[in-house]
């Protein structure tokens, strides 16, 4: 083992900071207050505002929340899942449904959250079986319901479902809307996104974009 | 392409990216901490702060500066939260209650970022930007400064002087964290992370309901949240929230940011002690343990043992569709091994053994690679213990990097190792012994115990992630966890700076044939063994009551 000297000269020893007239701890506290103030201006005001400036000019759409329009009005964000349910929270079967959500009463961005129920939780097991039964009532083989349809996401705002879950819902949506099922299936396939750059993450279908496309199909 | 292939490629890409930046970033940091020239902006800062940047501090003075800055930071952040309703951009939120404001101030100043509040329902934009995000920078800088002071203890000899805290703090922020954060923030915005100053904006949804779309300066905070291994999310759902982690690439990039500085600091260490091979041995130890734990995490999460995961057919509860099991495992392992605590999936709902691994990762003491600064000084303390053990085996006086490890050094190192487990285990015992704190558990039985153990492990190790089912916004948890964070951060810092002072005073010992080489594979193996055995022996009984009881 060889230890050579540091490759640069060491700073010279000198008296401690700030005038020596005050007791040492007071000197340090004064320096601390000033340092925090200066750094707050640089890191807490200038930095976020500079990022905001660049972001708003270069990536305005993303910086504002990747909003989606349909019929000339904003209907949500491409990134935030939303509920397709009536005012009582009952599922509207004519729409592709997102995953179960633990954010507030479902897809509430003021209360993003996971369920945090554990792998042995009887409550979670009961929820899973309830969700499976609901899918089965749609005529799906209960053993074939994909995992994302049975579980709540981490954020409660997951915008995506698995391609399998989207395909399973195609028949119901076509029936409810009086559309040709093949046409709806083609729409689903057109909305399947593969892994990013071919290898990152999982294949998925964005529910809001699929449902917006569905309204255009209907008209 | 299968899930496992996708996972392997993601990990290989990450390792390649980290290897690519290891040298240039490590060398840049070494230059930042050893150069004698000051930038013009830095001179302005020193003038405003009123310090002499040429003053070289003894260890007690360096320590007093660290503590003074941290005490002032806790008070300022506490005050800001209490009065936020009277300040601009408050979004109508009231001031934070005293116990929670203390907890949050202790949390962000100690680089923990444990959150007993829910971001989108409690904090105004000014509190987030001007308070929480500022601490994301400076608490990270404090950790890096202390690590550099310890390195100087090894590199210098026959001196009382360890450098100047105010210079180290300023240079860390201006030369390292700020430029990296700026670039990272812009990349994140491009991926879809929001960056604006709006509050909630209601939109009418496709099905005819209303949905409030959140706003905020998220990307600027997200960047330093990962880079500074802080982990405090702008939103409650942290990096699982689509406005924090919008795409698979964004999440992968966040893991890169989390690991970037911790895996590059050993290079700076090697440069500063004048032997880069010493840095490679440290980074190899960190990397091997991280990789082993990552593989184990992916294996159990994709095998998904347990009642609910088996019923569902996958471990997908608490995980996002776009990330799946692969990126969730990668994020979970990296965040718990770096004292970051950001999450892109919720550990409470992982398989029993997966959740147990997250817990064990933190219990290793946050050294593989650990948080920015803290990971390196923690690993160097363990290296001292490893050298000491080797010395005992062959009956020689132990020495590391040319410094003798005498009783004083060994006492400081031993105390360092004892602080964390003693705090974690005694507070966990207290919490499960009391009726009130016990009723905060969401899940029953062994899993409930894991929630409490996880909370104190996370707080004391300054991680900040949680088995988040537990309700911790109570007087008991806000107070005890706040204290655990301060003890877990500052007692080790005191010991490390004392150690640095006593190393710097020594004259270097010449290398002889009997000196243990600390840059070879043998030492990497020895050091890995110490990391695992120390934590394993301390925490195995507690783990047996929680995740092992549940999962086996």
């Amino acid at each position: 083992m060889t230890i050579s000297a540091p490759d640069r000269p060491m700073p010279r020893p000198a008296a401690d900071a700030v005038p020596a007239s005050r007791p040492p701890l007071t000197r340090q506290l004064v320096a601390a207050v000033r340092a925090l103030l200066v750094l707050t201006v640089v890191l807490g005001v200038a930095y976020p505002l500079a990022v905001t400036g660049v972001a708003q000019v270069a990536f305005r759409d993303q910086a504002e929340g990747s909003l989606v329009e349909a019929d000339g009005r904003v209907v949500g964000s491409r990134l935030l899942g939303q509920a397709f349910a009536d005012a009582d929270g009952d599922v509207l079967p004519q729409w592709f449904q997102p995953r179960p959500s633990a954010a507030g009463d479902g897809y509430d961005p003021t209360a993003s959250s996971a369920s945090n129920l554990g792998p042995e939780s009887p409550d979670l097991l009961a929820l899973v079986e309830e969700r499976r039964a609901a899918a089965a009532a749609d005529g799906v083989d209960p053993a074939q319901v994909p995992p994302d349809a049975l579980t709540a996401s981490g954020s409660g705002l997951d915008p995506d479902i698995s391609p399998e879950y989207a395909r399973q819902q195609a028949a119901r949506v076509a029936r409810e809307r009086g559309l040709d099922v093949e046409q709806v299936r083609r729409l689903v396939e057109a909305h399947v996104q593969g892994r990013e750059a071919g290898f990152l993450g999982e294949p998925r279908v964005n529910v809001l974009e699929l449902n917006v496309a569905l309204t255009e199909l209907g008209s | 392409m299968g899930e496992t292939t996708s996972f392997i490629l993601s990990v290989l890409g990450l390792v390649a990216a980290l290897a690519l930046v290891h040298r240039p970033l490590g060398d840049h940091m070494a230059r930042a901490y050893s150069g004698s020239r000051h930038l013009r902006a830095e001179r302005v800062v020193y003038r405003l702060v009123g310090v002499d940047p040429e003053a070289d501090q003894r260890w007690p003075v360096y320590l007093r500066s660290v503590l003074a800055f941290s005490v002032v930071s806790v008070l300022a952040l506490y005050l800001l939260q209490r009065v936020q309703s009277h300040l601009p951009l408050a979004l109508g939120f009231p001031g934070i209650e005293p116990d929670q404001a203390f907890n949050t101030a202790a949390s962000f100043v100690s680089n923990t970022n444990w959150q007993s509040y829910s971001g989108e329902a409690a904090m105004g934009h000014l509190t987030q930007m001007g308070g929480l995000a500022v601490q994301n920078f400076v608490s990270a800088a404090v950790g890096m400064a202390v690590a550099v002071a310890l390195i100087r203890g090894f590199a210098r000899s026959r001196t009382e002087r360890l450098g100047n805290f105010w210079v180290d703090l300023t240079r860390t922020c201006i030369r390292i964290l700020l430029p990296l954060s700026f670039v990272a923030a812009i990349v994140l915005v491009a991926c879809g992370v929001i960056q604006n100053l709006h509050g909630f904006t209601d939109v009418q949804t496709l099905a005819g309901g209303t949905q409030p779309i959140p706003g905020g300066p998220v990307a600027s905070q997200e960047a330093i949240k990962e880079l500074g291994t802080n982990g405090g999310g702008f939103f409650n759902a942290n990096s699982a929230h689509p406005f924090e982690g919008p795409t698979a690439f964004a999440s992968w990039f966040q893991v890169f940011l989390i690991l970037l500085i911790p895996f590059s600091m050993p290079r700076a260490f090697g440069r500063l002690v004048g032997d880069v091979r010493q840095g490679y041995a440290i980074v190899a130890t960190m990397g091997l343990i991280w990789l082993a734990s990552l593989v184990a995490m992916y294996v159990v999460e994709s095998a998904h043992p347990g009642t609910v995961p088996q019923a569902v057919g996958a471990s997908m509860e608490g995980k996002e569709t776009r990330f799946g099991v692969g990126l969730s495992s990668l994020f979970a392992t990296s965040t718990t091994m770096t004292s970051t605590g950001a999450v892109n999936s919720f550990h409470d709902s992982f398989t029993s053994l997966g959740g147990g691994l997250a817990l064990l990762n933190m219990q290793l003491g946050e050294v593989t690679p650990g948080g920015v600064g803290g990971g390196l000084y923690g690993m160097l303390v363990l290296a001292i213990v490893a050298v000491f053990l080797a010395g005992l085996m062959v009956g020689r006086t132990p020495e590391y990097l040319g410094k003798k490890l005498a009783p004083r050094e060994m006492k400081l190192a031993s105390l360092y190792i004892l602080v964390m487990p003693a705090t974690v285990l005694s507070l966990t015992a207290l919490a499960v012994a009391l009726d009130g704190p016990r009723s905060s558990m969401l899940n029953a039985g062994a899993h409930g115990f894991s929630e409490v153990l996880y909370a104190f492990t996370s707080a004391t190790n300054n991680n900040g992630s949680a088995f988040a089912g537990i309700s911790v916004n109570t007087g008991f948890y806000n107070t005890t966890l706040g204290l655990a964070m301060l003890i877990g951060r500052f007692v080790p810092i005191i010991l490390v700076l004392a150690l640095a002072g006593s190393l710097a005073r020594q004259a270097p010992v010449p290398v002889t044939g009997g000196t243990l080489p600390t840059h070879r594979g043998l030492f990497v193996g020895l050091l890995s063994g110490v990391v695992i055995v120390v934590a394993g022996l301390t925490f195995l009984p507690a783990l047996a009551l929680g995740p092992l009881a549940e999962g086996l």
Side-chain angles (χ1 to χ4, degrees):
Chain A
M1 178 171 73
T2 51
I3 303 289
S4 61
D7 51 352
R8 280 164 198 278
M10 276 177 235
R12 69 181 163 82
D16 290 335
V18 210
S21 53
R22 290 181 230 145
L25 193 59
T26 318
R27 271 187 281 145
Q28 299 294 348
L29 284 172
V30 170
V33 171
R34 290 177 166 187
L36 185 62
L37 281 174
V38 173
L39 291 172
T40 299
V41 171
V42 176
L43 307 169
V45 180
Y47 159 70
L49 292 184
V51 174
T52 308
V54 174
Q56 288 284 338
V57 172
F59 303 102
R60 189 171 172 80
D61 178 48
Q62 292 95 319
E64 290 290 304
S66 308
L67 301 174
V68 174
E69 289 191 11
D71 283 341
R73 67 176 180 92
V74 174
V75 294
S77 163
R78 187 170 55 78
L79 294 174
L80 296 183
Q82 54 180 248
F84 289 86
D86 63 18
D88 300 326
D90 290 326
V91 164
L92 296 171
Q94 68 271 37
W95 298 105
F96 283 94
Q97 291 296 317
R99 295 177 66 184
S101 162
D105 293 330
Y107 289 93
D108 179 358
T110 67
S112 65
S113 180
S115 76
N116 288 309
L117 293 168
E120 302 295 328
S121 162
D123 296 344
L124 181 54
L125 190 62
L127 279 171
V128 166
E129 292 314 326
E130 202 178 294
R131 289 161 186 162
R132 194 191 300 280
D138 267 351
V140 175
D141 174 2
Q144 297 298 317
V145 182
D148 61 307
L150 299 172
T151 52
S153 62
S155 60
L157 299 169
D158 195 337
D160 304 314
I161 53 178
S162 65
E164 296 73 39
Y165 188 30
R167 287 174 191 131
Q168 261 180 17
Q169 297 189 58
R172 182 198 73 226
V173 170
R175 185 175 68 232
E176 292 289 332
R177 290 184 172 259
L179 293 167
D180 172 25
V181 69
E182 278 312 312
Q183 197 184 11
V184 176
R185 285 201 180 121
R186 277 197 300 276
L187 195 69
V188 168
E189 293 311 319
H191 279 82
V192 171
Q193 295 167 274
R195 300 180 200 276
E196 286 173 38
F199 71 98
L200 277 174
E202 295 296 320
R204 66 213 175 281
V205 172
N206 185 297
V207 181
L208 180 58
E209 285 181 341
L210 177 59
N211 277 331
V212 167
L214 198 58
T215 60
E216 287 155 7
L217 202 64
S219 63
Chain B
M1 177 186 299
E3 205 173 82
T4 301
T5 315
S6 148
F7 170 74
I8 291 171
L9 288 176
S10 309
V11 175
L12 287 180
L14 183 64
V15 171
L18 289 168
L20 204 64
V21 293
H22 174 78
R23 266 182 74 160
L25 181 60
D27 291 351
H28 171 71
M29 292 195 284
R31 277 194 302 274
Y33 291 121
S34 58
S36 52
R37 220 170 286 149
H38 305 291
L39 303 178
R40 188 176 300 169
E42 291 166 352
R43 286 185 190 284
V44 174
V45 172
Y46 303 138
R47 205 160 48 239
L48 291 171
V49 177
V51 293
D52 173 9
E54 306 302 332
D56 208 350
Q57 297 171 319
R58 292 187 188 87
W59 83 261
V61 182
Y62 200 101
L63 173 64
R64 273 205 295 275
S65 303
V66 169
L67 294 181
F69 185 69
S70 301
V71 167
V72 166
S73 293
V74 170
L75 292 176
L77 189 53
Y78 176 84
L79 205 67
L80 181 63
Q81 295 173 74
R82 298 283 291 134
V83 304
Q84 69 163 351
S85 58
H86 305 289
L87 300 172
L89 296 173
L91 309 178
F93 293 128
I96 307 292
E97 292 300 316
D99 60 326
Q100 193 172 38
F102 160 71
N103 182 276
T104 305
S107 173
F108 277 72
V109 173
S110 63
N111 198 251
T112 310
N113 296 37
W114 174 266
Q115 297 171 293
S116 76
Y117 64 91
S118 162
E120 64 267 41
M123 297 291 179
H125 290 343
L126 189 70
T127 316
Q128 299 257 28
M129 282 193 317
L132 303 177
V134 170
Q135 285 305 321
N136 281 357
F137 278 99
V138 296
S139 69
V142 166
M144 291 167 75
V146 171
V148 169
L150 179 60
I151 295 173
R152 291 190 186 118
F154 284 111
R156 296 180 178 182
S157 39
R158 300 191 196 85
T159 177
E160 299 278 315
R161 309 286 170 171
L162 289 180
N164 183 310
F165 169 71
W166 305 107
V167 172
D168 293 336
L169 172 73
T170 308
R171 288 186 180 183
T172 307
C173 289
I174 290 185
R175 297 190 192 183
I176 301 167
L177 298 178
L178 190 57
L180 288 176
S181 296
F182 191 85
V183 175
I186 300 301
V187 172
L188 289 171
V189 175
C191 294
V193 180
I194 60 169
Q195 180 73 23
N196 58 57
L197 295 175
H198 313 319
F200 283 100
T201 315
D202 277 343
V203 300
Q204 204 184 1
T205 63
L206 206 54
T210 52
Q211 188 181 38
I213 307 288
V218 179
S220 54
Q221 192 156 332
E222 193 67 22
I224 186 60
K225 171 188 123 183
E226 320 295 2
L227 258 179
T229 58
N230 295 282
F234 196 94
F235 301 108
N236 188 48
N238 210 296
S239 288
H241 194 295
F243 278 176
E244 286 196 36
T247 62
F249 171 77
S251 216
W252 179 90
F253 181 63
Q254 287 174 14
V255 176
F256 171 74
L257 292 177
I258 286 172
L259 298 174
L260 178 59
I261 293 177
F263 271 132
S264 297
M265 277 203 88
R267 169 76 185 186
F269 157 73
R271 284 294 298 263
L272 289 169
V273 299
D275 181 2
V276 291
R277 296 173 308 172
Q278 301 294 334
Y280 290 140
I282 296 290
V283 83
T285 309
M286 292 170 164
L288 286 175
I289 298 177
W290 169 79
L291 192 60
S293 183
L294 174 61
V295 170
M297 179 69 91
Y298 179 73
V299 168
V300 290
E301 283 305 294
S302 52
H304 65 277
T307 309
V308 175
Q310 284 298 312
V312 167
S315 177
M316 274 305 282
E317 183 70 24
K319 294 189 177 75
E320 299 282 298
T321 308
R322 61 196 177 284
F323 304 147
V325 167
L327 278 180
S328 298
S329 301
L330 178 60
F331 204 113
T333 300
S334 303
T335 196
T336 48
M337 281 197 150
T338 51
S339 84
T340 304
V343 291
N344 79 348
S345 58
F346 280 75
H347 303 174
D348 215 347
S349 301
F350 274 40
T351 62
S352 306
L353 295 178
L357 272 170
L359 195 46
L360 177 64
N361 287 344
M362 296 186 289
Q363 289 165 341
L364 295 179
E366 299 296 15
V367 291
T368 55
V372 295
L376 182 62
Y377 64 67
M379 190 57 109
L380 291 178
V381 168
L382 287 165
I384 286 174
V385 174
V387 171
F388 176 73
L389 290 177
L392 286 183
M393 285 184 235
V394 296
R396 286 187 57 97
T397 314
E399 54 197 62
Y400 183 48
L401 306 175
K403 294 299 171 81
K404 268 208 200 69
L405 304 174
R408 179 178 158 82
E409 285 77 26
M410 289 319 301
K411 280 180 198 161
L412 291 168
S414 309
L415 276 173
Y416 180 103
I417 288 175
L418 288 173
V419 173
M420 184 272 284
T423 311
V424 171
L425 294 174
S426 55
L427 288 174
T428 303
L430 180 69
V432 293
L434 297 173
D435 285 338
R438 211 169 41 229
S439 67
S440 278
M441 301 172 184
L442 172 73
N443 289 280
H447 201 81
F449 172 75
S450 298
E451 289 179 347
V452 177
L453 179 63
Y454 198 108
F456 286 104
T457 301
S458 170
T460 313
N461 282 291
N462 302 136
N463 184 278
S465 67
F467 268 12
I470 188 171
S471 311
V472 285
N473 187 18
T474 67
F476 176 85
Y477 282 109
N478 277 332
T479 310
T480 51
L481 289 167
L483 291 174
M485 293 187 260
L486 294 176
I487 293 169
R489 177 69 164 179
F490 293 104
V491 176
I493 282 182
I494 293 168
L495 297 168
V496 163
L497 288 175
L499 183 62
S502 100
L503 291 170
R505 263 197 302 276
Q506 289 186 31
V509 193
V511 178
T512 67
T515 307
L516 172 75
T518 52
H519 60 272
R520 301 231 178 101
L522 180 67
F523 184 71
V524 172
L526 181 66
L527 182 52
S528 306
V530 168
V531 172
I532 291 161
V533 168
V534 166
L537 292 182
T538 321
F539 285 105
L540 196 62
L543 289 170
L545 294 175
L548 295 180
E550 187 185 46
L552 296 180

